[in-house]
Amino acid sequence: MKKLVSTLAVATALSLAGIASAADGPVKIALVHGLSGSTFEAFSKQSHTGFKLGLEYATGGTMKINGHDIEIIEKDTQFKPDVARAVLAEAYGDDDVLIAVGGTSSGVTKGMLPIAEEYERILLVEPAVADSLTGPDSNRYVFKTSRNSSMDMQAQALALKPGPDLHVATLAEDYAFGKDGIAAFKKALEGSGATIVAEEYVPLKTTDFTAAAERMFAALKDKDGRKVILIYVAGGGDPMGKIKAMQPERYDIEISTGGHILPVLPTYKRVPGMEGAIYYYFENPDNPINDWLVEEHNKRFGSPPDFFTAGGMAAGLAVAKALQSTDDWDTESLIETMEGMSWDTPKGQMTFRPEDHQALQSMYHFKIKVDDAVDWAIPELVREIKAGEMEIPVGRNNQE
């Protein structure tokens, strides 16, 4: 009992300290992402750029909210769950941040969720994707601006126009991102008559997809109707290119996958006309915030904003909206403010669903266009898929 009372006293003291520091000094926000040790570093860096641009846009360039300077503290998880937990605890405890934003890998981020509950501080998940991050193992302190696997896969299913003549084999990485994604895709196909004929899961960092591809070919080749290999891989290894080199077209098998960051899109030139769904491509959204982002990013960095830059900006705008909407910066007031909150982003309006704090948002159905004057394949917009068109499962009831 003494230990419990002591733990509660420490948590209360930390919470009150956070309120005091926010009242007396800068508002401290931690960006907790992997900045070393993985090919996913590029995702983290894009998120950081976008987050800072979001705060800049929301504050009119002052980087002040309600008269307080914004102090950003960056922490490197090194893409290791134990390091991620330690640096998040350090951010809440030693650095006394009000809100933390992270992480990049879904598997690493999952280990961060209990730390937010332990310190009773908000963790805003961006850009990790897995549905499980707002699932049963999550908690009321966790909000999520990044899309989730269900959005990826429901949009992908809509882009494929599923029906009884559609047969699909899936390829994904063997961890939370891949497993949640394929589970969501199968859920999205329910009732359509489409069938999943094979599921292949490969370890992270796989570079040889030959055996998996051969098994998918065997499962698909004798089917009547449309035959598709769906690739849902976030890392490297170029599965699309290597499977394409094995000539799936000899069995009338198509390849489909979601969009990706600009450095990867040149590889999509091998699949002109391919259709899929994408979270963001800078030419697709039509709104003032995206116009500003594209113009400023080109001006400052000599290139258009990328996939995760938009997500980082959405997170920055969400934090700014929450802090600007209440004078009480204690955790409970922020949770009350953010539940059900809508705000504008480069993708249009997002809304935090009160039940599980997932941000509902649009996705984009694309068709690959190849233009020799453009270095990458263009995921040309077919149509915007609105949040209301997707039945996104509620991961966790935060009212419990």
Side-chain angles (χ1 to χ4, degrees), residues 159-171:
L160 289 175
K161 305 177 185 69
D165 68 334
L166 178 64
H167 307 282
V168 184
T170 64
L171 175 69

Side-chain angles (χ1 to χ4, degrees), residues 113-163:
L113 307 183
I115 306 301
E117 186 171 34
E118 178 183 345
Y119 282 86
E120 297 183 348
R121 300 282 178 90
I122 289 172
L123 172 64
L124 183 59
V125 175
E126 177 66 46
V129 172
D131 281 13
S132 54
L133 298 175
T134 52
D137 293 332
S138 188
N139 58 74
R140 63 192 298 270
Y141 302 97
V142 177
F143 287 76
K144 190 165 178 283
T145 50
S146 53
R147 92 280 186 195
N148 66 13
S149 299
S150 287
M151 293 176 192
D152 274 346
M153 292 292 97
Q154 290 216 16
Q156 192 75 16
L158 288 168
L160 289 175
K161 305 177 185 69

Side-chain angles (χ1 to χ4, degrees), residues 4 21 61 73 80 99 102 114 122 129 145 171 195 222 252 257 288 322 324 327 350 361 366 372 374:
L4 174 61
S21 87
I73 299 170
K80 298 176 181 176
I99 296 172
I122 289 172
V129 172
T145 50
L171 175 69
T195 57
D222 295 326
D252 296 319
T257 190
Q324 290 165 342
D327 292 326
M350 293 186 184
Q361 57 200 273
F366 70 81
D372 291 340
V374 179

